[in-house]
Amino acid sequence: MQPVRVRFAPSPTGPFHIGGARSALFNWLFARRYGGVFILRIEDTDLERSSRESEENILAALRWLGLDWDEGVEVGGPNGPYRQTERLELYQRYAEQLLSQKDAYRCYCTEEELAAEREALLAEGALSGYSGRCRNLSPEDCARLEAEGRKPAIRFRVPDNQGTIVVRDLVRGEVSFDCSDIGDFIILKSDGIPTYNFAVVVDDHCMSVSHVIRAEEHLPNTPRQILLYNALGWETPQFAHVSLILGKDRSKMSKRHGATAIEQYQEKGYLPEAMVNFLALLGWSAGGEEEIFSLEELTRQFSLERVSKSPAVFDLDKLNWLNGHYIRQSPIEYITDLSIPFLEKAGYLKTPLTPERYEWLKEVIALVRKYLVCLDDLKDHVGIYFNEEVEVLEEEAREALTAPHVPALFEALARLVLDCPALSAEAAKGLLKAAGKEAGVKGKQIFIPVRAALTGSIEGPDLDRIMAILGKERVARRLAAALDRGL
Ligand code: GLU
């Protein structure tokens, strides 16, 4: 196999979508799997819609996902620059080559003329390719038109009788395109900006790209690109077009099916590990039942042979399940660190944290993480650990506090807690038992009212761990407050 060189070539024209991230991941995995090079090229030729902000979002999202690039914007490399607007001379040079070979010609038609022509062709029921009006202009014609102040675009001359072009696609097999209706297409606009099909061919060739792995929506562009490779005398790379992503209702994935931008998932507290795992399964499978894959594992197993031809279905429940899995299984320090910004945003924490506070926070996160789908959910689960007071709103909890044995139980427990040297979870366990003994009750009769007083609910994580996290004073205060309210 030739050295693997792949590229991810986003257009920085808006939010970075799931589909783009999946293309990036598949390219990255392919490069890593085969010891190749992963290139990041920015296709910013749509001057109106491209922005540096969008480019920076893409770069940040790739870094967040853990996808580093070997050549490209910011890191540089031997085939730079890696932003298309910085490569205009190169496109000019190859457009000139095509002109001199007569595989391209200058076209002086204005937007208005082209629009009128399209309309006329449509009215005749013809397909709306370019009519070829400027195909055979003489140098004198050109000079005359230029004297009128017209600036030419450069059009590719599609070979006559082109017939069928077969794309040999590593995912989709052989796909034939009837090229008889491909009209001559613009490769360089009158302002010197290349069109997508031309820029992509020049860049993929000049960057020695071996495999073009991209979304299926670009498959119909591929025959035009192949025509350009042929005219320039260049070898085509191998193509692999990855299927569309559909929503669960089988229509094209859109905002209706959930957030489409990677950033939105990051903001909600999805973990990059879950996102990578989820993206990988959008079109690829290992073949077995296994669904949990780290980036390392994916790197070992990824292959284009196992990328499916059928559309991938975006299943938010699966992403949620994966995210819950990584929240529960990752090292507690990692989840704690990721949680801090979410707790700050919710107003629970101020950084920097003292080492003691950090240790305390770890206990909180360890206790609640099993309830989380994403880290943004933390705010709904941690109030009782951060707030001074707890409000008992749940009906069943209020009722539990009215049992006749509650005053004796709470008084005993508050006293024992305040007297104990250090309220660990282990110690709390013993104190709950001892307080129950004093009040003549056990089991649920102890746990339910104490839990209700400390958390406002009759369900939740381990009571002894909650007590250790709250600390002696808050436990005693909440028991007393519950009694006060009850009296
Ligand atoms: N700039 C194109 C896009 O964002 C990439 C096309 C390609 O990979 O060839 O869709």
Side-chain angles (χ1 to χ4, degrees):
M1 192 150 114
Q2 66 193 119
V4 165
R5 292 181 55 87
V6 290
R7 84 305 192 271
F8 175 53
S11 305
T13 52
F16 185 41
H17 285 154
I18 298 279
R22 184 204 38 187
S23 295
L25 175 64
F26 282 17
N27 276 288
W28 186 91
L29 289 172
F30 190 72
R32 295 294 171 259
R33 165 83 199 267
Y34 297 105
V37 169
F38 177 56
I39 304 167
L40 176 62
R41 181 173 77 223
I42 299 293
E43 304 208 324
D44 57 348
T45 54
D46 183 340
L47 303 183
E48 258 169 42
R49 294 175 59 228
S50 298
S51 73
R52 273 301 163 99
E53 189 196 347
S54 161
E55 178 184 318
E56 274 154 26
N57 279 345
I58 295 170
L59 267 51
L62 293 175
R63 291 196 172 105
W64 178 67
L65 292 169
L67 309 181
D68 54 341
W69 52 100
D70 311 304
E71 287 181 28
V73 287
E74 292 199 353
V75 307
N79 302 289
Y82 292 91
R83 220 174 260 118
Q84 288 187 326
T85 50
E86 294 167 14
R87 301 169 63 78
L88 299 182
E89 272 170 37
L90 197 67
Y91 310 125
Q92 185 73 42
R93 189 186 327 147
Y94 289 113
E96 298 286 347
Q97 179 187 329
L98 290 173
L99 280 173
S100 67
Q101 292 172 198
K102 303 262 183 289
D103 285 316
Y105 57 90
R106 293 194 171 81
C107 170
Y108 294 87
C109 297
T110 61
E111 280 298 327
E112 295 74 33
E113 285 164 347
L114 291 171
E117 179 182 300
R118 263 196 302 273
E119 238 167 72
L121 281 172
L122 277 176
E124 284 171 27
L127 290 167
S128 59
Y130 177 59
S131 68
R133 186 148 44 141
C134 296
R135 238 184 177 211
N136 299 308
L137 296 178
S138 65
E140 295 73 38
D141 294 331
C142 293
R144 181 175 44 76
L145 290 160
E146 262 161 59
E148 282 178 20
R150 295 185 185 232
K151 283 189 79 186
I154 299 179
R155 246 180 224 280
F156 180 66
R157 188 190 303 271
V158 175
D160 294 326
N161 312 319
Q162 181 54 55
T164 300
I165 286 188
V166 178
V167 179
R168 280 172 238 293
D169 191 278
L170 294 173
V171 172
R172 328 200 78 78
E174 293 196 348
V175 189
S176 302
F177 288 88
D178 173 10
C179 291
S180 51
D181 58 354
I182 297 188
D184 294 349
F185 54 92
I186 293 183
I187 54 173
L188 209 62
K189 295 188 278 184
S190 58
D191 57 4
I193 304 290
T195 55
Y196 158 68
N197 280 314
F198 186 53
V200 91
V201 166
V202 170
D203 287 348
D204 285 343
H205 170 76
C206 292
M207 295 179 183
S208 309
V209 167
S210 61
H211 296 75
V212 168
I213 306 169
R214 63 185 169 198
E216 187 184 353
E217 66 203 23
H218 287 296
L219 185 59
N221 289 319
T222 311
R224 283 182 176 76
Q225 295 173 16
I226 290 176
L227 290 175
L228 289 167
Y229 279 105
N230 293 345
L232 287 159
W234 295 339
E235 207 181 307
T236 51
Q238 304 215 54
F239 292 103
H241 287 91
V242 185
S243 297
L244 291 178
I245 302 176
L246 303 182
K248 260 187 160 174
D249 60 0
R250 301 248 143 199
S251 66
K252 191 167 187 263
M253 168 75 187
S254 75
K255 289 190 183 132
R256 279 186 303 121
H257 303 105
T260 52
I262 291 292
E263 209 182 358
Q264 290 169 287
Y265 290 95
Q266 188 179 0
E267 274 168 15
K268 287 220 78 167
Y270 284 85
L271 267 52
E273 291 78 0
M275 213 64 217
V276 159
N277 195 153
F278 177 70
L279 291 169
L281 299 178
L282 284 175
W284 173 85
S285 69
E289 295 289 294
E290 184 58 30
E291 297 210 281
I292 301 285
F293 296 97
S294 66
L295 203 48
E296 293 71 40
E297 195 52 45
L298 289 168
T299 305
R300 269 195 294 279
Q301 298 204 24
F302 184 81
S303 75
L304 288 174
E305 287 89 66
R306 297 221 55 90
V307 171
S308 167
K309 260 200 254 196
S310 16
V313 175
F314 181 91
D315 180 354
L316 188 58
D317 294 334
K318 184 161 194 173
L319 173 59
N320 287 342
W321 171 75
L322 285 168
N323 206 47
H325 168 85
Y326 285 102
I327 288 180
R328 287 188 300 279
Q329 303 297 321
S330 304
I332 189 64
E333 283 79 12
Y334 176 62
I335 300 299
T336 303
D337 293 345
L338 291 182
S339 298
I340 291 172
F342 290 88
L343 295 171
E344 270 189 296
K345 197 174 89 193
Y348 284 123
L349 267 189
K350 275 204 179 61
T351 49
L353 303 180
T354 61
E356 294 74 35
R357 186 74 168 155
Y358 181 79
E359 287 305 311
W360 176 84
L361 183 61
K362 254 168 52 180
E363 298 293 327
V364 175
I365 303 297
L367 201 53
V368 301
R369 64 169 158 177
K370 65 177 173 210
Y371 301 105
L372 309 176
V373 169
C374 54
L375 296 176
D376 195 47
D377 294 344
L378 271 170
K379 59 181 184 312
D380 307 322
H381 295 274
V382 298
I384 55 165
Y385 310 103
F386 286 94
N387 297 335
E388 274 312 306
E389 307 295 332
V390 60
E391 260 192 292
V392 184
L393 297 173
E394 234 177 62
E395 196 45 50
E396 283 160 303
R398 292 169 87 97
E399 212 177 293
L401 292 173
T402 60
H405 67 274
V406 164
L409 175 70
F410 282 14
E411 268 153 33
L413 185 60
R415 175 170 30 81
L416 291 170
V417 161
L418 287 174
D419 283 351
C420 112
L423 186 58
S424 63
E426 196 51 39
K429 220 180 242 171
L431 300 182
L432 283 163
K433 239 193 190 147
K437 205 165 191 182
E438 279 191 36
V441 288
K442 50 185 175 185
K444 278 189 180 170
Q445 288 175 305
I446 308 173
F447 301 127
I448 293 190
V450 172
R451 182 184 287 285
L454 299 185
T455 71
S457 173
I458 60 161
E459 278 166 332
D462 299 340
L463 190 55
D464 42 4
R465 289 171 73 187
I466 295 179
M467 288 172 67
I469 288 172
L470 290 175
K472 294 163 38 161
E473 279 74 25
R474 271 196 296 176
V475 169
R477 262 203 313 278
R478 285 186 192 182
L479 292 170
L483 283 182
D484 282 351
R485 264 195 305 266
L487 289 174

